[in-house]
Amino acid sequence: MSARSAVSDAALERWDCHVHVFEAQAPVQAGHYQPADAPLQTLQSTASALGVNRLVLVQPSVYGHDHQVMLRALARAPGQHRGVAVLPPDISDTPWDELHAAGVRGTRFNLVSPVGHAGPPWADLARLAPGLRARGWHVQWYARAEDLPRLAQAQEETKLRFVLDHMAGLQAHHLHQEPLWQALAALASRGAWVKLSGWYRLGSVFPYTDLYPVALRVHQLFGRRCLWGSDWPHTSFAPGTAPTYADLVHPVQAALGETAMSPLWGANARSLYLDESSPYV
């Protein structure tokens, strides 16, 4: 691919950096929800209405370490999308390298969901750290705001790149809780990223105006390391009550200004999820 065409393709890209795909018949972890069918083709059709053509598929907690659903989705459009896995601490090189070849670029720790990580994650993180470093992978965290000080410590200890889900768990009532913001500033200063996603998971309801000051402050800290994600297909909602896809874009635009969306779902995302081995570079 020529330099000219690479620049042209980049200008046409829009990324949704946090989505999930589900197959209704796939086995799930006990003790959590039974997801409805939410295939990649439905998501691509939904996202394309807003010009979104690149996706980051995040392994849902209900599937544990079984990545077959995500891998099948990635294989439908080789090289176009990216994935985030949930790795067991004893994973061997062969399945790890297969995930990398499929487009996976990070592992996730879920400290919130009922079938998320069982117990403190720090020992497992330490076991995975050498392999993560060797492959240039990041560590994605679904955590509560109260976890931020410990995450800042872990990032300093491991020197890994951290990515914080859902506005780092910060809710409106956290706006003036300065110890949390100090921890977040430490994470940002050491190269962490944050996703402005999942606002309905933060004690708010559409149009989420109470979160605008939080989003603005987060954006001021992270700048070009802010990302946008829809959290499609919105598993915390009852059938028929989920927000529209556009409803997850408009609050970000309103909070940060119209021009902020361009780097959030363009250059910022590209710099995290693409590397020189991608056929799209």
Side-chain angles (χ1 to χ4, degrees):
M1 178 179 290
S2 69
R4 180 182 297 275
S5 61
V7 171
S8 175
D9 285 354
L12 295 174
E13 285 179 3
R14 283 187 174 182
W15 288 73
D16 183 339
C17 297
H18 195 103
V19 300
H20 310 283
V21 291
F22 296 98
E23 294 176 3
Q25 303 306 313
V28 299
Q29 301 284 295
H32 210 0
Y33 60 91
Q34 179 68 46
D37 206 45
L40 178 67
Q41 53 268 41
T42 300
L43 171 55
Q44 289 181 144
S45 176
T46 300
S48 66
L50 292 182
V52 173
N53 50 15
R54 306 203 69 166
L55 306 165
V56 179
L57 310 183
V58 178
Q59 172 77 348
S61 58
V62 293
Y63 293 145
H65 303 310
D66 183 350
H67 297 98
Q68 292 308 306
V69 172
M70 182 178 68
L71 289 172
R72 282 193 286 270
L74 289 170
R76 293 181 65 89
Q80 182 175 354
H81 305 310
R82 286 291 182 253
V84 175
V86 175
L87 299 181
D90 58 351
I91 187 172
S92 63
D93 283 344
T94 297
W96 202 332
D97 291 340
E98 289 172 352
L99 287 166
H100 189 89
V104 179
R105 292 297 181 268
T107 190
R108 189 190 198 206
F109 287 94
N110 183 336
L111 309 185
V112 177
S113 297
V115 291
H117 196 274
W122 318 117
D124 288 351
L125 176 64
R127 291 182 67 182
L128 291 168
L132 293 167
R133 269 188 223 100
R135 294 166 176 83
W137 280 27
H138 61 265
V139 186
Q140 184 171 316
W141 295 93
Y142 182 23
R144 298 177 177 86
E146 290 74 18
D147 296 316
L148 290 173
R150 185 62 184 88
L151 291 180
Q153 179 184 342
Q155 183 179 240
E156 174 63 16
E157 292 168 351
T158 63
K159 312 300 183 189
L160 292 167
R161 182 188 298 116
F162 281 11
V163 179
L164 308 173
D165 280 355
H166 306 329
M167 211 141 65
L170 290 161
Q171 302 185 22
H173 67 87
H174 293 129
L175 183 60
H176 301 296
Q177 294 187 21
E178 292 308 313
L180 298 181
W181 289 94
Q182 290 168 11
L184 191 66
L187 283 154
S189 70
R190 296 170 187 144
W193 294 67
V194 67
K195 296 185 182 184
L196 303 182
S197 58
W199 290 22
Y200 48 75
R201 298 184 184 275
L202 301 172
S204 187
V205 295
F206 186 83
Y208 315 112
T209 52
D210 58 331
L211 289 175
Y212 290 6
V214 177
L216 184 60
R217 191 170 178 182
V218 169
H219 187 256
Q220 289 169 342
L221 280 175
F222 286 83
R224 66 177 181 83
R225 294 193 304 277
C226 283
L227 307 163
W228 174 78
S230 68
D231 199 27
W232 188 93
H234 322 303
T235 57
S236 62
F237 288 86
T241 66
T244 69
Y245 199 78
D247 283 347
L248 284 309
V249 177
H250 295 156
V252 182
Q253 292 173 324
L256 305 181
E258 186 73 24
T259 59
M261 277 305 300
S262 180
L264 286 180
W265 61 13
N268 295 5
R270 184 179 177 85
S271 66
L272 178 63
Y273 292 109
L274 290 189
D275 57 36
E276 67 277 3
S277 66
S278 168
Y280 283 75
V281 174

